[in-house]
Amino acid sequence: MVSRTIPVDTFDLVLFGATGDLATRKILPSLYRRFLAGQMPQDARVIGAARSKLDDAGFRKLVAEALDEFVSKSKRDKATIEAFLNQCSYIAIDAKGDSGWAELKKSVRDEAIKAFYFSVAPSIFGTLAEKLRSHGIACENSRLVVEKPFGTDLETAKKLNADLAASFDETQIYRIDHFLGKETVQNLMAVRFANVLFEPLWNERYIDHVQITVAETVGVGGRGSYYDKSGAMRDMVQNHLMQLLCLTAMEPPSQFDPDRLRDEKLKVIRALDPVGQKDVVRGQYKAGKEPSYVEDAENPDSRTESYVALKIGISNWRWKHVPFYLRTGKRMTKRMSEIVIQFKETSHSIFDRDEGSMANALTIRLQPDEGMDLSVTIKEPGPGGMRLVNVPLDMSFAEALGPDGEEIPDAYERLIMDVIRGNQTLFMRGDEVEAAWAWTDPIIEGWEERGDRPQAYAQGSSGPEDALMLMHRDGRRWRDLED
């Protein structure tokens, strides 16, 4: 299959927080890989901005070190790296003062698309946005990219949206969630809306339940102090898992248009049922080969969850009576992100079912091996009678779509190029963020009012025992993380 790389118009991307971890680990390597693929124009520029007193040469050295660490050796071409570094420059900027802003205004070109990437703490989003406006740097053709968290509750999300809206129009704001840039997530829409095979079955008549899992083997590590103020519910469910749920459950938009698509996602969030105490389980990993959560968080009295599982209902015609089971956790047995659409069993079977359920399941793998498989029931080969087995029809995107063994582009590569193109399809809208917090806040407030403590679970496990019961009581079970 031939790779199609669509060039973009020339741009100046100003990267605030350019010396930080996210910039060096994800954003700068992603820009280089797009440059290597021929997607970045030769006159595009990356302007690093941070408090550090660096010059252009110092910043280019930092970028070169980031590429050496976070770009695969096969993609590190010396001449290409040198050309990319020549497109990088640096300005030391005081986010809260006036130092550096006049120099930045002179550096960005009026004729180029101007993108401002806030890879900084959300507490200074509003300040930076106001500085860009008051110094006359931002214009109608500017785009603003902001990283999560988009607030810590509904009140702070509304304030953050208002702060950004004071300087930028909603059509200029790109709230980035890297999960939405994954190839498999986008293919979920293609599978549903471009194939007659699935969409007629995508409803409560044929689907028994849906499972969404984001499991990690790592702990909170160096993020302990931040994570202890957040927890799995704020850090993962309110944004990443919510987005996966919306894309799975939404109605087809009338057109593949950013606002029409986001309108449909918003309808899903507003149709979510409140979650009762019995339908949510929280956990904290205990000490094992690695320190416990409370040791990582340096807070022995912490009641913050490193794991959460929920049973969620959606009150609309398509999904009434179909539960969505969500779970995410740290220090689990396997790193895995997937969506499982579990279909119902046939209404009448003419075969023995001694082997257990023969129901079909569509599994959409987000990581680490992006792809999907559909389990179907067939006769086991051999003369032993009509013995049935479930087998997967498996497709790995890397094998099926990767031209000449090329890597599938990182989510940040796709999302950054979408920003330059002005395509907001894979970015969250302000009202969508606020609706998600409006649903999430009562769950968190309930924990705090009751003083709930998370249940301890072993490192390298599938989570707390109560999470298993969340499904067992309904006669269902979680998909094994080792499957």
Side-chain angles (χ1 to χ4, degrees):
M1 181 173 289
V2 178
S3 177
R4 292 193 303 164
T5 299
I6 304 172
V8 296
D9 293 334
T10 192
F11 62 87
D12 289 343
L13 188 149
V14 181
L15 178 56
F16 290 93
T19 59
D21 178 68
L22 179 64
T24 55
R25 181 169 46 88
K26 284 290 186 181
I27 301 170
L28 291 166
S30 293
L31 285 164
Y32 166 75
R33 284 191 287 264
R34 288 301 88 202
F35 182 80
L36 179 66
Q39 197 169 17
M40 270 181 64
Q42 294 296 318
D43 59 347
R45 298 189 303 178
V46 179
I47 304 170
R51 291 176 296 178
S52 303
K53 300 298 182 183
L54 292 175
D55 57 13
D56 288 350
F59 180 60
R60 287 169 183 161
K61 181 175 183 292
L62 180 149
V63 176
E65 291 170 351
L67 301 185
D68 187 59
E69 183 174 359
F70 297 109
V71 174
S72 62
K73 190 173 182 179
S74 63
K75 291 184 177 292
R76 295 201 304 267
D77 176 76
K78 186 175 180 180
T80 307
I81 289 176
E82 190 65 31
F84 177 73
L85 294 178
N86 286 334
Q87 295 185 230
C88 297
S89 60
Y90 183 84
I91 298 173
I93 283 186
D94 181 358
K96 298 182 179 179
D98 292 322
S99 173
W101 293 100
E103 185 180 353
L104 179 60
K105 179 176 174 60
K106 292 178 183 177
S107 297
V108 294
R109 298 167 293 174
D110 288 336
E111 69 274 14
I113 293 169
K114 291 188 277 190
F116 304 100
Y117 200 126
F118 287 1
S119 180
V120 296
S123 59
I124 61 172
F125 283 177
T127 302
L128 288 176
E130 191 278 329
K131 291 285 186 183
L132 288 170
R133 180 182 58 79
S134 63
H135 285 274
I137 301 170
C139 63
E140 291 183 1
N141 199 29
S142 298
R143 289 91 194 257
L144 177 63
V145 187
V146 293
E147 285 276 351
K148 79 175 187 75
F150 312 116
T152 56
D153 53 23
L154 178 58
E155 181 181 351
T156 54
K158 284 183 174 180
K159 183 180 186 307
L160 179 56
N161 282 337
D163 289 344
L164 296 178
S167 302
F168 287 82
D169 187 79
E170 180 64 32
T171 60
Q172 298 177 287
I173 301 171
Y174 294 73
R175 297 170 185 83
I176 195 167
D177 183 337
H178 70 275
F179 264 58
L180 296 186
K182 292 182 178 295
E183 193 71 38
T184 327
V185 174
Q186 295 170 73
N187 262 294
L188 172 58
M189 290 184 282
V191 165
R192 283 195 59 190
F193 303 136
N195 295 282
V196 72
L197 177 64
F198 288 114
E199 182 56 24
L201 309 180
W202 213 264
N203 55 60
E204 57 87 25
R205 184 175 177 185
Y206 297 101
I207 293 176
D208 179 77
H209 70 277
V210 176
Q211 296 183 32
I212 301 176
T213 298
V214 178
E216 300 176 272
T217 55
V218 299
V220 298
R223 299 174 66 222
S225 59
Y226 157 76
Y227 194 93
D228 204 43
K229 297 181 180 67
S230 172
M233 192 70 181
R234 288 187 173 99
D235 189 57
M236 294 295 293
V237 175
Q238 186 274 337
N239 41 73
H240 296 328
L241 273 72
M242 179 70 72
Q243 290 298 307
L244 298 181
L245 183 153
C246 287
L247 290 173
T248 304
M250 73 180 188
E251 295 298 318
S254 59
Q255 299 176 24
F256 193 65
D257 166 85
D259 271 331
R260 285 178 171 86
L261 188 144
R262 294 186 292 181
D263 286 344
E264 297 303 333
K265 288 198 294 175
L266 181 60
K267 290 176 186 177
V268 173
I269 299 173
R270 289 175 173 168
L272 296 180
D273 294 334
V275 174
Q277 183 179 352
K278 66 181 180 63
D279 289 330
V280 59
V281 176
R282 303 165 74 219
Q284 263 186 8
Y285 59 83
K286 55 188 179 182
K289 291 183 179 180
E290 303 292 339
S292 66
Y293 172 82
V294 295
E295 291 173 304
D296 281 343
E298 299 180 346
N299 181 4
D301 297 320
S302 174
R303 298 189 180 192
T304 301
E305 73 285 353
S306 61
Y307 175 101
V308 65
L310 306 99
K311 176 184 176 182
I312 301 172
I314 304 176
S315 288
N316 62 22
W317 283 92
R318 184 182 291 266
W319 296 113
K320 193 65 176 175
H321 309 305
V322 178
F324 282 65
Y325 299 95
L326 278 58
R327 61 175 169 170
T328 182
K330 303 281 190 183
R331 290 267 183 244
M332 298 182 74
T333 185
K334 183 179 180 181
R335 175 177 174 261
M336 183 182 75
S337 298
E338 67 175 22
I339 303 167
V340 180
I341 312 299
Q342 183 64 59
F343 292 93
K344 294 180 178 179
E345 295 195 10
T346 54
S347 57
H348 172 70
S349 176
I350 62 174
F351 305 105
D352 279 338
R353 287 185 172 171
D354 294 339
E355 301 297 319
S357 173
M358 293 289 117
N360 305 115
L362 175 65
T363 301
I364 301 157
R365 302 187 305 271
L366 279 64
Q367 62 184 22
D369 175 25
E370 292 193 58
M372 60 181 66
D373 67 66
L374 176 66
S375 70
V376 296
T377 302
I378 66 169
K379 176 190 175 294
E380 185 177 52
M386 186 61 74
R387 293 176 59 85
L388 304 182
V389 292
N390 264 2
V391 296
L393 301 177
D394 195 345
M395 183 184 75
S396 165
F397 287 169
E399 294 175 6
L401 303 177
D404 302 320
E406 288 185 12
E407 299 174 9
I408 294 174
D410 180 84
Y412 275 93
E413 297 177 48
R414 178 175 295 104
L415 294 172
I416 291 171
M417 291 301 104
D418 278 354
V419 171
I420 303 304
R421 293 190 187 96
N423 184 352
Q424 291 186 306
T425 302
L426 300 176
F427 298 84
M428 287 179 281
R429 205 167 57 193
D431 54 358
E432 190 180 345
V433 171
E434 292 180 13
W437 278 120
W439 177 81
T440 304
D441 277 358
I443 301 173
I444 298 173
E445 289 166 3
W447 297 338
E448 293 173 348
E449 288 172 5
R450 293 188 301 270
D452 290 354
R453 283 193 174 276
Q455 183 183 143
Y457 64 93
Q459 297 184 27
S461 71
S462 297
E465 289 294 322
D466 283 358
L468 300 178
M469 295 306 300
L470 190 67
M471 292 192 71
H472 284 179
R473 72 183 189 216
D474 295 336
R476 303 182 176 100
R477 70 176 185 88
W478 290 108
R479 174 176 157 89
D480 193 328
L481 292 181
E482 295 300 330
D483 285 351

